[in-house]
Amino acid sequence: MTFPPDASVRPTVVYITSRGHSGSTLLSLILGGHSQIVSGGELKMLINAKDENKLCSCHFVTPDQCPFWSQVQRHVIDSVGVPFDELALMEDGDDETFSLHNQALFTAIADVSGCSIVVDSSKSLMRLSRLLRAQENGCFINVRPIHLHRGPLGFANSCRRKGQTLFAAAERHSREFFRTREFLSGKSHLFVSYEKFARQTRPSLCRLMGWIGLSIDESQLQWRQGIRRDIGGNRMRIGGSSLIQIDQSWKHDLTIAEIIKLTFFTLPIRLRSKWLYSRFRNRRIKFGL
């Protein structure tokens, strides 16, 4: 299966896969500050039924009302005949439809923005899997995956604020870490630690940009300034300061006993040992969390 390109340059898709509460919005906004990169944010949200989940960062309106995204949508309609909310972006549609729709979307974003590198921070591993398969089948995109990882203590604490138990959050964190790691094994990708990126932003960004094939742009460090096009993302998109502060609220939210239990339960992640994780999970040890 091949697809005739609609643009002279194949769009490069920098895809961020991670769990929620792992810093994907921050990373997307910083990447989108480069003059040769446009961040689309969580593009999977274009098909979300709730308007509040797909507001753009440039005007904080729905894509239909945004000058940039409405122009992108017109390009998409001209290419494949359907608007955003009918695109096959997740599990819907066969492989050929998925490839055609996503090629049209990324090409339209690249054409309207003038940037050949598009960031998609949808996070979903399933979406990444389909994009890579589409690329293998001839879709006119070049997918570059980033595995963004946040430490289990901060992740579990953020999830508990949303109503989850610490054990459920820690178990999901471990399961998805090894699932993502196994999927990306043997594939070209970049592993990025949220904590290291937040603490050592410039050197981490230099490494990341080098992997993409560009030099760092100083405007990226002033990520609150300039125009960002991101769809979806968390509340941190709204604010004035570009100061990056690592979220370590778990230090005062969790008890010492909870920290010790979480540290022990997530030891397989720290040791990168899937075998040890399987042993923990198979025994259903809940450590009182």
Side-chain angles (χ1 to χ4, degrees):
M1 186 191 321
T2 58
F3 302 90
D6 296 323
S8 59
V9 179
R10 180 191 299 265
T12 293
V13 178
V14 177
Y15 189 94
I16 302 173
T17 182
S18 69
R19 310 288 65 76
H21 315 293
S22 295
S24 61
T25 299
L26 173 64
L27 181 58
S28 179
L29 291 170
I30 290 178
L31 288 175
H34 196 283
S35 59
Q36 297 181 52
I37 299 176
V38 58
S39 177
E42 298 184 25
L43 291 177
K44 67 179 182 181
M45 290 300 179
L46 289 172
I47 59 174
N48 195 284
K50 296 181 179 179
D51 285 345
E52 62 268 25
N53 291 335
K54 52 186 177 183
L55 301 180
C56 67
S57 293
C58 41
H59 297 88
F60 288 98
V61 296
T62 60
D64 287 340
Q65 299 171 311
C66 172
F68 175 83
W69 285 105
S70 59
Q71 187 176 354
V72 171
Q73 182 166 232
R74 286 195 295 272
H75 281 232
V76 170
I77 293 173
D78 289 343
S79 179
V80 293
V82 298
F84 284 154
D85 58 3
E86 295 181 27
L87 289 174
L89 300 182
M90 292 294 286
E91 70 278 358
D92 45 322
D94 57 29
D95 284 350
E96 183 172 1
T97 300
F98 181 88
S99 295
L100 285 169
H101 285 191
N102 281 274
Q103 174 180 291
L105 176 61
F106 287 118
T107 300
I109 295 172
D111 284 350
V112 175
S113 68
C115 299
S116 62
I117 301 175
V118 182
V119 179
D120 183 349
S121 59
S122 291
K123 298 191 289 290
S124 166
L125 189 62
M126 182 272 292
R127 173 163 168 74
L128 173 59
S129 174
R130 296 199 75 183
L131 286 173
L132 288 172
R133 186 163 69 245
Q135 176 182 264
E136 293 171 358
N137 290 337
C139 185
F140 196 66
I141 57 175
N142 177 30
V143 185
R144 303 278 283 165
I146 293 176
H147 180 189
L148 177 61
H149 174 73
R150 184 180 182 184
L153 295 175
F155 174 82
N157 187 50
S158 292
C159 289
R160 183 162 71 171
R161 293 176 182 172
K162 300 292 184 179
Q164 297 184 39
T165 66
L166 285 176
F167 175 75
E171 203 284 327
R172 181 164 65 92
H173 185 268
S174 299
R175 180 180 68 249
E176 294 303 317
F177 171 82
F178 286 109
R179 180 168 169 254
T180 303
R181 189 166 181 260
E182 182 177 7
F183 173 76
L184 290 173
S185 176
K187 299 179 178 66
S188 177
H189 70 283
L190 185 69
F191 181 86
V192 175
S193 162
Y194 158 74
E195 287 82 6
K196 185 174 182 179
F197 188 86
R199 290 192 182 100
Q200 304 174 24
T201 304
R202 180 179 289 274
S204 297
L205 184 59
C206 286
R207 169 176 171 264
L208 200 162
M209 295 305 299
W211 179 76
I212 294 174
L214 297 172
S215 299
I216 186 175
D217 192 324
E218 291 299 321
S219 62
Q220 291 179 278
L221 299 174
Q222 301 300 319
W223 53 277
R224 293 283 191 192
Q225 301 177 14
I227 298 174
R228 300 294 188 274
R229 304 297 187 183
D230 296 59
I231 294 292
N234 63 36
R235 293 175 300 175
M236 71 171 300
R237 294 188 297 159
I238 305 173
S241 173
S242 294
L243 178 66
I244 298 175
Q245 292 182 314
I246 187 170
D247 180 3
Q248 292 186 308
S249 56
W250 61 267
K251 289 186 175 181
H252 54 77
D253 289 349
L254 302 178
T255 66
I256 294 177
E258 288 172 334
I259 291 173
I260 292 173
K261 291 173 183 178
L262 277 172
T263 299
F264 183 65
F265 181 73
T266 57
L267 184 63
I269 294 179
R270 303 173 193 278
L271 298 178
R272 305 294 192 259
S273 173
K274 187 177 181 181
W275 173 85
L276 187 59
Y277 164 67
S278 298
R279 296 274 292 187
F280 279 15
R281 188 181 184 193
N282 291 340
R283 291 184 178 183
R284 300 185 182 280
I285 302 175
K286 296 195 176 182
F287 307 102
L289 295 171

